[in-house]
């Protein structure tokens, strides 16, 4: 599966002539802006789950740096503690990258596999990095739907 995902990401990036970063064959960041540098880091493993990682790519937009971060956290509903540990590592990777390369504006995109008001995403909201739920900000009156393996649920909205 990872090999197919890597090839799909690479094919799209190459066909569209986009700068891109692919971490561990599956996690991708594609952009129309130049990528100055990138970094990948492993996240804590969860039992019976595939290895997870975070990808960081620094781009330049009109000469200004922007850090784009992508990840995909453990998916099983009972993996609350594992997702919280993965988020702690992800935030540490962002902090380390920004400290080493200067403070940057950051966009964090992810498949968090969690509710916006969960303990893991509360860590993101309380990190002091100024992260906000873009969907909730753009659609405050629409909780939308999210996927859960047994049935679709209404998306929770963080307070």
């Amino acid at each position: 599966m990872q090999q197919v995902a890597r090839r799909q990401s690479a094919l799209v990036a190459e066909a569209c002539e986009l700068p891109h970063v692919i971490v561990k064959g599956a996690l991708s960041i594609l952009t129309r802006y130049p990528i100055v540098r990138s970094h990948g880091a492993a996240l804590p493993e969860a039992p019976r789950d595939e290895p997870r990682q975070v990808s960081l790519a620094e781009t330049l937009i009109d000469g200004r740096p922007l850090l784009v971060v992508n990840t995909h956290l453990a998916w099983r509903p009972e993996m609350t503690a594992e997702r919280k540990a993965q988020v702690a590592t992800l935030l540490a990777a962002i902090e380390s990258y920004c400290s080493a390369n200067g403070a940057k504006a950051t966009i964090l995109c992810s498949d968090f596999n969690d509710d916006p008001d969960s303990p893991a995403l509360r860590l993101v909201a309380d990190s002091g990095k100024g992260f906000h739920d873009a969907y909730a900000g753009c659609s405050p009156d629409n909780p939308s739907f999210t996927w859960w393996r047994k049935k679709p649920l209404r998306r929770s909205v963080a307070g």
Side-chain angles (χ1 to χ4, degrees):
M1 170 89 168
Q2 286 185 352
Q3 191 67 289
V4 171
R6 186 201 66 75
R7 284 183 280 162
Q8 290 173 345
S9 296
L11 287 172
V12 168
E14 291 165 13
C16 297
E17 299 180 353
L18 293 172
H20 61 283
V21 174
I22 301 172
V23 175
K24 301 264 184 187
L27 198 57
S28 305
I29 296 175
L30 287 69
T31 175
R32 66 181 177 146
Y33 299 102
I35 296 176
V36 177
R37 64 183 64 86
S38 64
H39 177 71
L43 297 179
E45 291 191 23
R48 302 180 337 269
D49 193 35
E50 64 189 79
R52 303 293 177 160
Q53 58 274 333
V54 58
S55 177
L56 302 94
E58 184 179 341
T59 64
L60 286 177
I61 301 175
D62 295 331
R64 295 181 307 215
L66 173 67
L67 181 62
V68 178
V69 181
N70 186 18
T71 193
H72 185 183
L73 302 182
W75 69 273
R76 294 177 191 276
E78 68 274 11
M79 293 182 167
T80 303
E82 289 85 350
R83 279 189 298 280
K84 191 173 177 183
Q86 289 173 341
V87 165
T89 300
L90 143 69
L91 291 171
I94 293 170
E95 183 62 36
S96 175
Y97 185 92
C98 289
S99 293
N101 298 293
K104 311 268 187 303
T106 304
I107 294 175
L108 171 59
C109 37
S110 172
D111 182 345
F112 290 112
N113 286 316
D114 222 339
D115 293 324
D117 55 352
S118 71
L121 294 185
R122 189 58 38 211
L123 275 179
V124 173
D126 296 341
S127 69
K129 289 286 191 190
F131 293 123
H132 299 280
D133 183 336
Y135 184 88
C138 293
S139 304
D141 298 326
N142 182 4
S144 81
F145 285 96
T146 187
W147 184 85
W148 185 55
R149 64 185 168 144
K150 293 185 180 180
K151 63 182 178 179
L153 301 171
R154 282 273 179 199
R155 185 175 188 273
S156 298
V157 178

